[in-house]
């Protein structure tokens, strides 16, 4: 399995006689103004206690990139950034003995005129470490071959300026373990960054030798069995190679030793190369101890439900606690890319998932990184989360997810693998709809009726209640619920003191909520309802899930009782003297407000019309035209009534049978 290593420069310091030799470094250049640049040189050597102080680099040459002519010669003397830093290699689980590195950083500014040819900066030094296994550096006790530090930069007039690609500081895990075979590659990540976002192209090159700072540089020679294309001298496993786009180096160390190679990084802007930089790499391969393999904490089968929002949490831990840990999920039938949920970054550089495994508690990681396509890195533990919503079409489907976990500490790769199945199931909802089977209503008498639907499974999906057809004016007669700090509610509803409607909303007759939805209508039947006689009110409850709608329908019968009416004879004498007794002439009995229709005309004894009305409820007060401003004289008056008054209704069909009336008679007006 792969082990992620940070690119490094190493020295094996077993032989203290070579402890003063420089073992690597590189130059970074960053433009700070129109013609000013910051030059940073990193120099590495072993940290033997007998070392003398390292002199600051001098004779650092800046040359024209085309003519090779020297433009400036600079010294880094007086520009050291702090004292040397001792970098102890290893980690808490394994620390190789006898290996450590001193890092020296020098930074200064330079000023360069515009030059379309660009520049390069070079510095050479002798000598390399005598312990190198693959390069010919002379006698191991007296090495004679050195190094060249080199960086090329573009014309200072380049639009936007430029900073060269940066290898950054020195890593601490400066070793790797022997490969166990073709399935056990080492992946080395140089972690190069470019502040300008330029395109970078990587290659492995023959390391440079000292002797000149003018291109073309001298090249380092090789020991038998090694070359620029077989840096490790492998005989059975593949040679070391680098990915030109990502910079990832794949290698299979077969032998214990110390190896040197060089990485060139070229930078391109708009398809044109504008610079390049080189770093020598020296590292040791060790025979490491074996750690405990990671543990994948998951059930073999995880049940999920169609229509639900589902999150599945994965836990992978390493018994060694501080090993670098990797998880590679893969699946042929499940989309691991779009369902993956990235953890939140919190204070202190930690990463966190809230409510992990529905425990209410967070899962916190000290380190988390997405190092490759669907490959995740952590230290000691990794938590992953996948969230999606299975659709109805996936019911009864089973998705297989392969979880490959391996750890990398000091010893190399320890691997665990497990297949987990996501089983999509269907959890049917249960919706009840409660309405009366039938109700009877009477003309001009208010009645209230109620409808209640309940999501018995408490699915948290929207629940709707809608009247469907029936010719009833639902919008006009709808009674909105009351509201308080707890939400919307009805009181005295279906035998309950209070019924709340969570997430209540009302739109064009439909009431929406969750878990419980209630509707109340209050209605006073009018003549139009009497004409219809009977209603069938159809109600539909609907539970809206992400992928289906569950409905329940019920019908309520409404019987409309017609008004009662009858025609009675009235006295033929009335006394409109405003004493409150027999002050009006009117028809007796009870009229039918929905069907009665008549005309009444009253004449005096000379045949003059004094009053007329088409209202079955008329009341004549004995004044001219009934307007109360001119009294009619006492005497006899002639009344003509035509129309219908006091309907009856067929008991079988409910049809109205109007009572026809056509009468002529006299009445006496007395005062």
């Amino acid at each position: 399995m792969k082990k992620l290593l940070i690119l490094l420069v190493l020295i094996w310091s077993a032989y203290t006689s070579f402890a003063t030799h420089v073992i690597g470094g590189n130059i970074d250049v960053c433009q700070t103004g129109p013609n000013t640049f910051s030059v940073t040189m990193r120099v590495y050597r072993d940290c033997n206690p007998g070392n003398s102080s390292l002199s600051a680099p001098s004779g650092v040459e800046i040359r024209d990139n085309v003519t090779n002519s020297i433009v400036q010669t600079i010294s880094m003397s007086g520009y050291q950034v702090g004292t040397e830093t001792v970098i102890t290699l290893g980690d808490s689980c394994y620390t190789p003995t006898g290996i450590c590195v001193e890092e020296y950083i020098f930074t200064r500014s330079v000023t360069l005129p515009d030059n379309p040819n660009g520049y390069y900066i070079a510095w050479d030094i002798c000598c390399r470490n005598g312990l190198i296994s693959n390069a010919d550096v002379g006698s191991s006790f007296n090495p004679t071959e050195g190094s060249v530090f080199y960086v090329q930069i573009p014309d200072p007039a380049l639009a936007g300026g430029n900073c060269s690609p940066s290898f950054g500081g020195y890593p601490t895990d400066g070793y790797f373990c022997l490969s166990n075979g073709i399935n056990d590659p080492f992946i080395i990540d140089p972690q190069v960054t470019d502040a300008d976002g330029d395109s970078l192209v990587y290659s492995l090159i023959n390391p440079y030798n000292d002797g000149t700072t003018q291109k073309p540089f001298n090249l380092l020679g090789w020991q038998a069995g090694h070359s620029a294309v077989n840096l490790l001298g492998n005989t059975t496993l593949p040679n070391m190679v680098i990915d030109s786009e990502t910079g990832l180096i794949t290698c299979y160390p077969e032998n214990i030793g110390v190896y040197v190679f060089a990485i060139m990084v070229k930078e391109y802007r708009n398809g044109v190369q504008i610079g390049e930089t080189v770093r020598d790499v020296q590292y040791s391969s060790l025979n490491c101890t074996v750690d405990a393999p990671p543990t994948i904490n998951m059930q073999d089968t995880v049940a999920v439900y169609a229509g639900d929002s589902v999150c599945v949490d994965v836990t992978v831990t390493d018994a060694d606690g501080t090993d670098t840990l990797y998880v590679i999920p893969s699946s042929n039938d499940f989309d691991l890319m779009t369902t993956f949920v990235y953890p939140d970054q919190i204070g202190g550089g930690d990463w966190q998932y809230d409510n992990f495994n529905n425990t209410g508690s967070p899962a916190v990681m000290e380190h988390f990184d997405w190092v490759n396509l669907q490959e995740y890195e952590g230290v000691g533990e990794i938590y992953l989360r996948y969230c999606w919503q299975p659709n109805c079409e996936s019911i009864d489907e089973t998705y297989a997810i392969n979880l490959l976990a391996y750890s990398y500490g000091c010893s190399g790769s320890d691997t665990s693998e497990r297949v987990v199945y996501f089983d999509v199931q269907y959890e049917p909802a249960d919706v009840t709809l409660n309405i009366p089977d039938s109700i009877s209503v009477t003309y001009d008498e208010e009645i209230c009726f109620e409808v209640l639907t309940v999501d018995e499974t408490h699915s948290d999906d929207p629940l709707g209640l809608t009247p469907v057809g029936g010719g009833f004016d639902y919008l006009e007669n709808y009674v909105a619920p009351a509201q308080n700090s707890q939400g919307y509610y009805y009181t005295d509803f279906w035998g309950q003191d209070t019924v709340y409607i969570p997430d209540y909303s009302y739109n064009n007759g439909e009431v929406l909520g969750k878990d419980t939805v209630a509707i109340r209508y209050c209605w006073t039947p009018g003549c139009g309802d009497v004409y219809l006689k009977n209603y069938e009110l159809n109600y539909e409850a609907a539970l809206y899930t992400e992928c289906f709608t569950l409905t329940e329908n019920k019908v309520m019968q409404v019987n409309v009782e017609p008004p009662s009416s009858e025609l009675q004879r009235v006295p033929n004498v009335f006394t409109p003297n405003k004493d409150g007794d027999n002050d009006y002439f009117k028809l007796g009995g009870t009229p039918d407000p929905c069907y009665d229709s008549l005309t009444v005309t009253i004449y005096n004894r000379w045949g003059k019309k004094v009053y007329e009305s088409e209202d079955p409820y008329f009341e004549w007060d004995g004044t001219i035209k009934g307007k109360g401003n001119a009294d009619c004289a006492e005497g006899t008056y002639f009344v003509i009534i035509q129309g219908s008054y006091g309907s009856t209704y067929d008991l079988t069909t409910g049809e109205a049978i109007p009572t026809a009336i056509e009468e002529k008679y006299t009445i006496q007006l007395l005062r």
Side-chain angles (χ1 to χ4, degrees):
M1 289 299 105
K2 297 187 294 183
K3 289 148 291 225
L4 184 66
L5 296 179
I6 306 300
L7 195 62
L8 48 88
V9 180
L10 281 182
I11 179 66
W12 190 309
S13 58
Y15 300 99
T16 58
S17 58
F18 309 120
T20 59
H21 294 152
V22 171
I23 63 170
N26 63 282
I27 303 173
D28 292 339
V29 179
C30 192
Q31 190 166 354
T32 57
N35 293 93
T36 58
F37 297 83
S38 173
V39 179
T40 299
M41 181 178 291
R42 298 178 184 272
V43 182
Y44 304 110
R45 67 173 186 173
D46 77 326
C47 49
N48 187 279
N51 282 348
S52 58
S53 298
L54 179 70
S55 299
S58 59
V60 180
E61 295 179 344
I62 304 176
R63 294 176 178 264
D64 184 288
N65 190 48
V66 175
T67 66
N68 286 323
S69 59
I70 298 175
V71 178
Q72 288 187 44
T73 300
I74 63 174
S75 171
M76 307 303 288
S77 178
Y79 297 100
Q80 182 173 348
V81 180
T83 59
E84 70 273 11
T85 300
V86 176
I87 304 171
T88 302
L89 304 179
D91 57 27
S92 60
C93 69
Y94 177 76
T95 301
T97 58
I99 302 178
C100 74
V101 173
E102 291 177 349
E103 180 180 52
Y104 295 80
I105 302 176
F106 304 88
T107 298
R108 64 161 294 165
S109 296
V110 298
T111 300
L112 296 172
D114 293 346
N115 177 6
N117 293 339
Y119 301 95
Y120 67 88
I121 303 175
W123 176 67
D124 67 336
I125 185 172
C126 188
C127 295
R128 290 182 181 270
N129 192 307
L131 296 176
I132 295 174
S133 304
N134 60 342
D136 183 4
V137 295
S139 167
S140 60
F141 291 93
N142 187 24
T144 58
E145 310 306 308
S147 309
V148 175
F149 289 29
Y150 162 73
V151 63
Q152 175 193 323
I153 61 175
D155 182 0
L158 178 69
N162 186 62
C163 292
S164 63
S166 174
F167 288 92
Y170 196 89
T172 59
D173 48 352
Y175 58 91
F176 63 87
C177 302
L178 294 178
S179 174
N180 294 316
I182 190 63
N183 294 321
D184 189 25
F186 282 85
I187 305 300
I188 303 171
D189 186 356
Q191 295 190 338
V192 178
T193 59
D194 188 277
D196 310 300
D198 295 323
S199 299
L200 305 182
V201 177
Y202 301 82
S203 60
L204 295 173
I205 66 170
N206 198 120
Y208 299 139
N209 200 353
D210 67 326
T212 181
T213 57
Q214 176 178 317
K215 295 192 292 186
F217 304 119
N218 297 327
L219 301 179
L220 196 62
W222 300 100
Q223 295 192 34
H226 300 80
S227 67
V229 295
N230 189 6
L231 294 164
L232 302 180
N234 285 356
T235 58
T236 59
L237 296 175
N239 298 327
M240 178 185 293
V241 293
I242 190 169
D243 188 305
S244 62
E245 295 183 359
T246 66
L248 296 178
I249 298 172
T250 303
C251 56
Y252 299 83
E254 292 182 354
N255 304 297
I256 292 176
V258 178
Y259 299 88
V260 62
F261 57 92
I263 299 175
M264 173 172 281
V265 183
K266 296 182 179 181
E267 59 177 331
Y268 290 79
R269 187 174 298 177
N270 299 323
V272 178
Q273 183 180 346
I274 60 172
E276 61 188 26
T277 186
V278 173
R279 178 186 263 188
D280 270 12
V281 178
Q282 182 176 304
Y283 65 97
S284 296
S285 63
L286 307 175
N287 190 10
C288 305
T289 58
V290 178
D291 295 326
T295 300
I296 301 171
N297 300 306
M298 285 287 293
Q299 299 176 356
D300 292 334
T301 301
V302 179
V304 297
Y305 296 94
D308 287 351
S309 294
V310 175
C311 287
V312 176
D313 293 334
V314 178
T315 303
V316 179
T317 57
D318 188 84
D320 302 294
T322 56
D323 283 356
T324 303
L325 184 63
Y326 301 87
V327 178
I328 306 176
S330 61
S331 178
N332 293 325
D333 50 17
F334 185 76
D335 186 355
L336 291 165
M337 288 291 294
T338 61
T339 58
F340 177 69
V341 179
Y342 216 80
D344 296 323
Q345 190 167 19
I346 59 177
D350 292 346
W351 299 81
Q352 173 177 300
Y353 286 112
D354 291 330
N355 190 26
F356 200 73
N357 279 324
N358 292 318
T359 61
S361 300
V364 180
M365 297 173 281
E366 294 183 1
H367 173 75
F368 183 84
D369 196 8
W370 192 337
V371 298
N372 207 344
L373 185 64
Q374 296 184 38
E375 180 174 357
Y376 307 97
E377 176 190 85
V379 176
E381 57 193 2
I382 292 180
Y383 303 111
L384 305 175
R385 172 170 287 172
Y386 295 91
C387 293
W388 79 104
Q389 193 164 40
N391 57 33
C392 290
E393 288 74 17
S394 64
I395 293 172
D396 296 330
E397 294 284 346
T398 299
Y399 302 106
I401 290 83
N402 186 75
L403 297 172
L404 175 64
Y406 65 93
S407 61
Y408 176 76
C410 315
S411 64
S413 175
D414 305 301
T415 304
S416 298
E417 192 167 7
R418 187 172 183 178
V419 178
V420 176
Y421 297 95
F422 296 163
D423 184 19
V424 182
Q425 302 177 9
Y426 170 63
E427 185 178 31
D430 183 13
V431 176
T432 59
L433 178 58
N434 299 308
I435 62 175
D437 293 331
S438 64
I439 60 172
S440 294
V441 298
T442 303
Y443 168 81
D444 207 30
E445 292 184 7
E446 185 182 61
I447 185 171
C448 294
F449 58 93
E450 298 156 346
V451 185
L452 179 70
T453 184
V454 178
D455 175 9
E456 300 291 350
T457 52
H458 304 287
S459 64
D460 202 41
D461 289 317
L463 178 63
L465 183 55
T466 308
V468 182
F472 181 71
D473 192 344
Y474 297 98
L475 299 179
E476 178 68 25
N477 298 302
Y478 173 68
V479 179
Q483 184 182 14
N484 60 21
S485 60
Q486 300 179 50
Y488 291 87
Y489 67 96
Y490 289 112
T491 58
D492 191 21
F493 196 99
W494 269 94
Q496 302 180 54
D497 291 338
T498 305
V499 171
Y500 279 93
I501 310 173
D503 289 354
Y504 163 84
S505 66
Y506 179 76
N507 182 32
N508 198 30
E510 181 181 31
V511 176
L512 282 172
K514 289 185 178 179
D515 288 341
T516 300
V517 172
I519 293 181
R520 174 175 283 161
Y521 298 99
C522 287
W523 171 40
T524 301
C527 288
D529 303 303
V530 173
Y531 301 150
L532 290 175
K533 305 178 192 62
N534 296 307
Y535 290 94
E536 280 194 353
L537 303 187
N538 192 339
Y539 293 90
E540 181 177 270
L543 183 65
Y544 301 100
T545 68
E546 185 66 22
C547 59
F548 61 87
T549 299
L550 177 69
T551 60
E552 178 78 8
N553 290 78
K554 282 191 176 181
V555 175
M556 181 176 72
Q557 298 290 336
V558 179
N559 302 312
V560 181
E561 299 291 342
S564 60
S565 63
E566 62 176 336
L567 177 61
Q568 296 178 356
R569 290 291 178 180
V570 297
N572 62 355
V573 176
F574 77 110
T575 57
N577 54 12
K578 300 180 182 179
D579 63 355
D581 184 23
N582 197 26
D583 285 333
Y584 299 95
F585 168 68
K586 58 184 178 180
L587 295 182
T590 304
D592 186 330
C594 300
Y595 288 97
D596 283 354
S597 174
L598 58 78
T599 300
V600 57
T601 308
I602 302 176
Y603 299 89
N604 63 17
R605 60 183 177 174
W606 293 285
K608 183 179 180 181
K609 183 168 61 176
V610 297
Y611 179 78
E612 187 176 34
S613 175
E614 294 181 352
D615 183 2
Y617 293 90
F618 78 89
E619 293 182 341
W620 183 42
D621 61 358
T623 63
I624 299 297
K625 297 184 180 181
K627 295 183 177 180
N629 52 4
D631 291 339
C632 293
E634 290 185 341
T636 300
Y637 290 82
F638 298 91
V639 178
I640 300 175
I641 299 177
Q642 293 177 315
S644 63
Y645 188 92
S647 302
T648 60
Y649 291 84
D650 188 290
L651 297 179
T652 302
T653 66
E655 295 289 338
I657 305 174
T659 301
I661 180 173
E662 184 173 353
E663 295 188 2
K664 300 177 182 179
Y665 55 89
T666 61
I667 59 173
Q668 296 295 318
L669 188 156
L670 303 176
R671 293 191 183 277

